[in-house]
Amino acid sequence: MYDKHLSSQFDSELNSVSSNVLELGGLVEMQIRQAIYALSEFSVEVADQVEKEEARVNALELEIDRALSNIIARRQPTAIDLRLLLAISKTTANLERVGDEAAKIARMVKRIIDSGKARVLPTAELRHAADLAGEQLRKALDAFARLSVDDAVAIIRDDDHIDEEFDGFVRKLITYMMEDPRTISASLDLLTLAKAIERIGDHAKNIAEFIIYIVKGTDVRHSALEHVESITQ
């Protein structure tokens, strides 16, 4: 993931933190898969499991934060080492928020089931968007482990697909609510769910931007894609 240092202890500390970040990534990926399954099968039991995992995600985030604080205090890193630690901290925060979004999806699934309108609403497109967002997160974690700038740029480029799915789904929901006002309550829950999926894609994009920051030393947040590509060439 990074070049070796003169201090083997420093490398050991970085490896430990990196392993915890990947473990956290695995946890939130599992939450997303479970949340998508809960949506596909309208399963309250699986939705409950997603919410239970939230405590594990939060605990691991705190553990990583403590480890990073200790490393920075004792090692006083500079240049790429400092960028790496800061990016790990930001990546950890984004992963924790992905877990929050997965839990939000689980809660919305249970509300939609309780409404009795679940099976008459358009969820197929939503499941497809959730699959895209989950795949984006998987690619982002893989790219982060390898510090691959090329893969990071591809993730940023592909984020538009998730946004397009969200916009199309919103238009379809509006049509459903206009045709049958009785579906408004459940449709609004689906809209919240769709926004949570879009946010997962945003967090994957954020992680990709942190990779570029580590390797290139340039903050590309809020930059146009053309600018990002020019920096990374």
Side-chain angles (χ1 to χ4, degrees):
M1 181 176 180
Y2 42 76
D3 295 333
K4 292 291 183 181
H5 298 85
L6 292 177
S7 169
S8 59
Q9 181 62 31
F10 191 16
D11 284 332
S12 176
E13 291 167 354
L14 289 175
N15 283 328
S16 177
V17 170
S18 298
S19 295
N20 283 343
V21 172
L22 293 177
E23 180 184 352
L24 177 59
L27 280 175
V28 298
E29 280 190 272
M30 180 179 66
Q31 278 187 295
I32 294 171
R33 288 195 298 271
Q34 290 176 326
I36 295 170
Y37 181 86
L39 174 64
S40 300
E41 303 299 324
F42 298 110
S43 171
V44 173
E45 292 78 10
V46 176
D48 285 338
Q49 186 60 40
V50 174
E51 291 189 270
K52 289 178 182 177
E53 294 295 335
E54 194 169 12
R56 290 179 60 197
V57 169
N58 292 339
L60 190 51
E61 184 206 12
L62 291 175
E63 181 181 340
I64 294 169
D65 279 346
R66 283 193 295 267
L68 288 172
S69 296
N70 288 334
I71 292 173
I72 292 173
R74 286 186 290 105
R75 302 293 179 183
Q76 297 184 353
T78 59
I80 191 171
D81 291 331
L82 181 58
R83 295 203 303 269
L84 174 63
L85 293 171
L86 291 175
I88 288 176
S89 177
K90 292 178 180 179
T91 295
T92 300
N94 274 265
L95 289 174
E96 189 274 333
R97 291 182 190 123
V98 169
D100 288 343
E101 299 298 343
K104 184 186 298 181
I105 291 171
R107 289 191 291 272
M108 289 298 100
V109 167
K110 292 195 291 186
R111 282 189 57 175
I112 292 166
I113 293 171
D114 289 342
S115 75
K117 299 289 184 180
R119 298 184 187 278
V120 300
L121 291 172
T123 59
E125 295 92 340
L126 205 54
R127 293 195 296 270
H128 176 62
D131 286 335
L132 286 176
E135 180 66 9
Q136 281 283 85
L137 181 65
R138 185 196 64 76
K139 289 179 179 178
L141 289 169
D142 182 63
F144 193 88
R146 296 181 293 106
L147 292 182
S148 172
V149 170
D150 289 342
D151 289 346
V153 173
I155 291 164
I156 294 170
R157 185 186 303 117
D158 290 343
D159 183 61
D160 287 343
H161 298 324
I162 298 175
D163 294 338
E164 290 168 1
E165 290 283 338
F166 175 75
D167 292 341
F169 187 73
V170 169
R171 289 193 294 271
K172 179 166 284 191
L173 274 183
I174 291 172
T175 300
Y176 268 82
M177 288 187 284
M178 290 176 63
E179 292 177 348
D180 186 355
R182 293 173 299 177
T183 67
I184 288 177
S185 178
S187 293
L188 291 176
D189 284 340
L190 272 187
L191 183 60
T192 301
L193 199 156
K195 187 61 180 177
I197 291 171
E198 185 193 35
R199 291 295 298 143
I200 291 172
D202 289 341
H203 290 306
K205 179 183 177 182
N206 290 345
I207 293 171
E209 291 170 344
F210 300 150
I211 295 168
I212 297 171
Y213 172 67
I214 293 170
V215 178
K216 298 294 184 178
T218 302
D219 189 343
V220 297
R221 289 176 298 175
H222 314 300
S223 299
L225 179 59
E226 294 81 3
H227 178 61
V228 173
E229 291 175 330
S230 67
I231 290 172
T232 56
Q233 287 174 353

